[in-house]
Amino acid sequence: MLTDPATKARIEARVNEGLRGYWYPVAKSVQISAKRPYGTKVLGEKIVLWRDRDGKIRCIEDYCPHRGAPLSYGEVHDGNIGCRYHGVIVDGTGTVQRVPAMPDCAMEGRKALRDFVVQEAHDAVFVYIPSVDRPEPPELPLPKELSDPEWTGFLCTSVWDVNYRYALDNLADPMHGCYLHAESFTLAFGSKQDLLELDRRDDGFRVSRVGQTGENFDWSEFVVAESGMFCFLDIPYPPAAGPGGNMRILGYVCPIDETHCKVFFWRMRKVTGIERQSWRFLYRTMLEERHWAVLEQDRVMLEGMPDDARKREMLYQHDIGVAHLRRALNSAAKAQIAAEDSAA
Ligand code: FES
Ligand SMILES: [Fe+2]
């Protein structure tokens, strides 16, 4: 069935702002405390997170029901959040608990704000952004390596001034490794010419170089679940990088708003015992800095591209992963918009 231009524009806008009905990582666990609220944005919406008296993370709109001040500028009192402007106290469900400046104020007891379901997993904080067809959170999709005792790693996050689609495109594009990262410690190897192939899976897809594996960043795999998306790829390690073989990157991208995103990468290695200790030590003392340098190359390149580069781009064979990823996002957005229309 043909899609009319207005619906097409809505689908494109939905993809651009980020799909709903998804879990997104929004912060590292250590960033959320029982003292200071943490303000951020997801899909263009301001949210605030903090820990209540039981240490559980709460998340509501970052908006004071009184006159709209950011609650994230306030403080946590007894597990609730107090607005910095005139002291209104709101709880983790978005209900006004107290208006200290005005006895018996009618605002008290009113649920004024939306609250979001939060899940902490493997040093990250995930928030579920509901959609019309999936108001309740399904299971959070997580890579198996995170709960496998044979693997160990570190979570790194970074905010990029670019739409999240560029960060995903970059992950679905193994050919950039031997060019953009040609000078790096681990990605300087392999041929600079190749073909790519796409392998569609029930739960996602894999894009890989035909001519080489294990030389460079040669493949990436996306797991596209109904309720979220993550990807993984391997970076071959030279012997100088210590024990454990390849480094596996597990990646999520959170759309902050249409021109910013936050990347979450777990840098993992399959090592146990004493080798695990030595890799963790080596990582912190030597390798981490090098990995950041590589990630910065990605960030700088993507931030240098115009917001609407896709309107003028000329894709070629190597972009099959990028094209497939875009189709997956598009069809998910289309289904969401259809569900919203039929609910309306
Ligand atoms: S705006 Fe928050 S208490 Fe007035
Ligand atoms: Fe890269």
Side-chain angles (χ1 to χ4, degrees):
M1 200 179 71
L2 284 176
T3 311
D4 63 83
T7 309
K8 254 190 187 161
R10 285 171 65 208
I11 294 168
E12 168 64 17
R14 174 60 53 89
V15 175
N16 218 43
E17 69 193 34
L19 295 174
R20 311 190 74 82
Y22 262 32
W23 284 99
Y24 290 109
V26 298
K28 283 184 167 183
S29 278
V30 293
Q31 291 178 295
I32 313 300
S33 84
K35 289 200 179 95
R36 292 252 153 257
Y38 178 88
T40 184
K41 274 207 270 182
V42 55
L43 271 55
E45 179 152 16
K46 289 171 75 180
I47 56 172
V48 58
L49 299 102
W50 74 97
R51 288 183 195 271
D52 66 15
R53 278 189 290 197
D54 302 324
K56 186 174 170 232
I57 299 181
R58 314 304 298 247
C59 176
I60 59 175
E61 293 173 73
D62 190 9
Y63 179 90
C64 177
H66 176 217
R67 276 180 30 217
L71 289 172
S72 57
Y73 292 6
E75 277 166 19
V76 180
H77 297 288
D78 266 349
N80 297 323
I81 191 164
C83 179
R84 179 87 191 179
Y85 207 4
H86 316 93
V88 165
I89 310 260
V90 183
D91 71 14
T93 67
T95 303
V96 177
Q97 283 293 327
R98 229 154 55 77
V99 181
M102 176 80 198
D104 303 322
C105 177
M107 275 172 70
E108 288 181 357
R110 292 259 291 270
K111 170 152 168 71
L113 305 172
R114 283 183 301 138
D115 58 319
F116 298 89
V117 178
V118 177
Q119 191 173 326
E120 248 186 302
H122 308 286
D123 303 330
V125 179
F126 290 82
V127 169
Y128 182 68
I129 304 299
S131 59
V132 165
D133 52 337
R134 274 200 308 273
E136 296 306 321
E139 200 182 331
L140 164 66
L142 286 168
K144 60 183 186 326
E145 292 84 353
L146 289 177
S147 47
D148 182 336
E150 296 210 330
W151 288 84
T152 182
F154 301 88
L155 169 62
C156 80
T157 69
S158 183
V159 173
W160 291 354
D161 293 351
V162 69
N163 186 280
Y164 79 99
R165 300 166 73 174
Y166 286 49
L168 288 179
D169 284 352
N170 187 55
L171 288 160
D173 162 30
M175 271 317 279
H176 84 263
C178 63
Y179 284 91
L180 179 61
H181 307 307
E183 314 298 323
S184 79
F185 173 53
T186 48
L187 294 169
F189 311 103
S191 78
K192 289 194 177 321
Q193 229 184 55
D194 213 338
L195 286 175
L196 267 81
E197 66 186 351
L198 183 76
D199 180 11
R200 292 178 177 81
R201 308 265 167 91
D202 286 344
D203 64 345
F205 65 95
R206 177 188 171 97
V207 58
S208 43
R209 289 182 56 159
V210 172
Q212 67 177 44
T213 9
E215 300 284 335
N216 198 308
F217 161 32
D218 292 329
W219 57 267
S220 64
E221 205 163 313
F222 277 72
V223 173
V224 186
E226 262 209 327
S227 55
M229 174 190 290
F230 64 84
C231 73
F232 56 98
L233 56 99
D234 276 356
I235 308 283
Y237 257 22
N246 293 345
M247 181 173 70
R248 178 155 295 179
I249 310 280
L250 313 170
Y252 288 78
V253 183
C254 173
I256 292 179
D257 58 27
E258 293 199 14
T259 52
H260 299 83
C261 67
K262 191 164 183 178
V263 294
F264 287 73
F265 293 123
W266 279 266
R267 294 159 171 167
M268 306 288 293
R269 259 181 128 179
K270 199 174 184 179
V271 271
T272 51
I274 188 78
E275 292 195 328
R276 169 180 299 222
Q277 303 310 324
S278 72
W279 135 250
R280 291 188 71 89
F281 177 75
L282 207 61
Y283 178 85
R284 284 292 190 214
T285 51
M286 273 179 60
L287 302 171
E288 184 172 11
E289 205 184 323
R290 292 176 177 172
H291 292 314
W292 275 110
V294 170
L295 206 56
E296 279 297 280
Q297 291 174 330
D298 290 304
R299 181 187 66 78
V300 170
M301 179 57 69
L302 300 177
E303 288 183 357
M305 292 162 67
D307 284 342
D308 60 349
R310 76 185 71 83
K311 289 188 186 150
R312 282 186 63 186
E313 65 193 4
M314 295 194 273
L315 303 184
Y316 57 92
Q317 199 273 337
H318 291 174
D319 301 306
I320 43 175
V322 171
H324 188 74
L325 173 65
R326 292 179 185 179
R327 278 196 297 275
L329 290 170
N330 246 56
S331 65
K334 195 173 174 179
Q336 257 173 35
I337 282 174
E340 283 164 22
D341 286 352
S342 67

